[in-house]
Amino acid sequence: MAEYLRLTRPPNAFLMFVAVLVGVVFSEQRNFQTPHILLALLTAYGLTGSSMALNDYFDREVDAVNNPARPIPSGSVSPGSAVALSAVLAALGLVSAALISPQSLMVASAAFAAASAYNWKLKKTGLAGNMVVSFTVVAPFLYGSVISDGVVSGRVGVFALLAFLANTGREVIKGMTDVEGDARRNVMTVARVRGLRAAAGLGAALYFAAVALSPLPYLLGITGPLYLPAVSLADAGFLYSCFQLLKNPDPETARRQKNLTLVWMLTALVSFLLGGLF
């Protein structure tokens, strides 16, 4: 059971759920309904876990080279079981969304369709595929706004932009860790096409862009003063990762910074919540 759980990447699902809360906080009505929030948690875990399991299914040959300890290449979970788990989790996520509203189901379905298309075909496109993944990462912001208002609030767009830039940088950097395995599926990552140094430069540039734009929510009057000191911690983390990647553009550094980015992103999400609630 631990291996099945690991297949679904719970930390990623948790980040998605926090992003949903950010979407609610910056909606116009801030309509918190406990049943809807609980259903949103099921949607976040269900659809994220489903797409992660499907990703591991399609990447099983690549992971045999890059990440042999992953559940499928290690033999602890069969490919067929991963697909079955993905289907069950997808049903859980979509049904939970449908129980909230038709608009919620539309946003959830669009995000899940994009994630599925990426796992099936679009991953091979490299940077374009990276941006598709980033759309699925910002979709929870939109989802939270739709849960509250029935429509997407314009204020959510600022936070979606910051998350899009940061996650696209992370996806580019992930490609640096998988060059050998990606060659097996002909995945045209920036690292494979342009080299490790170019990928590190682009990833760092996207991180820096997110940092440079991070004061925008405060300057636009969307957040309160607590936002600035909180987001500064996330900014410091992203700048640290930029420095490390430019200093050592190698797979091991990329792997460390890719993992640390989840910490910086969680810190940024907390800063969004603090800025909106206070």
Side-chain angles (χ1 to χ4, degrees):
M1 290 305 298
E3 290 298 285
Y4 280 100
L5 183 64
R6 190 162 71 96
L7 191 68
T8 64
R9 315 259 220 305
N12 297 59
F14 177 72
L15 286 175
M16 293 293 193
F17 176 62
V18 176
V20 172
L21 297 181
V22 170
V24 175
V25 166
F26 289 99
S27 64
E28 298 296 335
Q29 299 180 31
R30 290 191 178 187
N31 185 10
F32 281 94
Q33 294 186 35
T34 301
H36 287 178
I37 298 302
L38 293 176
L39 287 169
L41 175 60
L42 293 178
T43 299
Y45 179 72
L47 297 188
T48 302
S50 175
S51 63
M52 292 301 172
L54 200 60
N55 179 75
D56 276 20
Y57 170 78
F58 282 108
D59 276 0
R60 60 192 185 279
E61 293 182 2
V62 175
D63 285 342
V65 176
N66 294 330
N67 298 291
R70 292 293 306 159
I72 295 178
S74 68
S76 55
V77 174
S78 70
S81 296
V83 173
L85 176 63
S86 176
V88 170
L89 290 175
L92 172 67
L94 293 174
V95 169
S96 298
L99 290 174
I100 296 176
S101 69
Q103 298 95 317
S104 299
L105 178 60
M106 287 177 60
V107 175
S109 298
F112 183 65
S116 300
Y118 170 80
N119 286 328
W120 180 41
K121 288 287 186 181
L122 297 181
K123 183 172 184 176
K124 293 183 179 181
T125 62
L127 186 59
N130 297 156
M131 290 189 284
V132 170
V133 173
S134 293
F135 164 72
T136 68
V137 168
V138 304
F141 293 103
L142 315 181
Y143 189 73
S145 182
V146 167
I147 288 176
S148 172
D149 298 346
V151 295
V152 176
S153 167
R155 297 191 299 176
V156 173
V158 179
F159 302 100
L161 173 62
L162 298 178
F164 184 89
L165 290 170
N167 191 77
T168 304
R170 183 175 186 268
E171 290 298 314
V172 171
I173 290 163
K174 280 174 64 178
M176 296 172 62
T177 70
D178 299 337
V179 172
E180 183 181 350
D182 285 341
R184 291 195 172 195
R185 285 186 64 189
N186 195 33
V187 179
M188 305 302 290
T189 61
V190 175
R192 275 200 68 214
V193 176
R194 300 293 183 182
L196 293 176
R197 187 169 294 279
L202 178 57
L206 289 164
Y207 281 174
F208 185 78
V211 170
L213 294 174
S214 64
L216 265 182
Y218 180 75
L219 296 175
L220 293 173
I222 299 174
T223 63
L226 281 180
Y227 169 75
L228 288 178
V231 82
S232 294
L233 296 175
D235 288 347
F238 280 115
L239 291 175
Y240 168 79
S241 292
C242 288
F243 175 77
Q244 292 298 321
L245 287 163
L246 295 175
K247 180 183 176 183
N248 301 301
D250 56 69
E252 187 54 39
T253 300
R255 183 172 289 104
R256 286 197 301 270
Q257 300 313 314
K258 175 199 73 170
N259 294 333
L260 281 174
T261 298
L262 290 178
V263 179
W264 315 147
M265 292 174 76
L266 177 59
T267 306
L269 287 172
V270 171
S271 76
F272 296 168
L273 287 174
L274 289 174
L277 292 173
F278 303 100

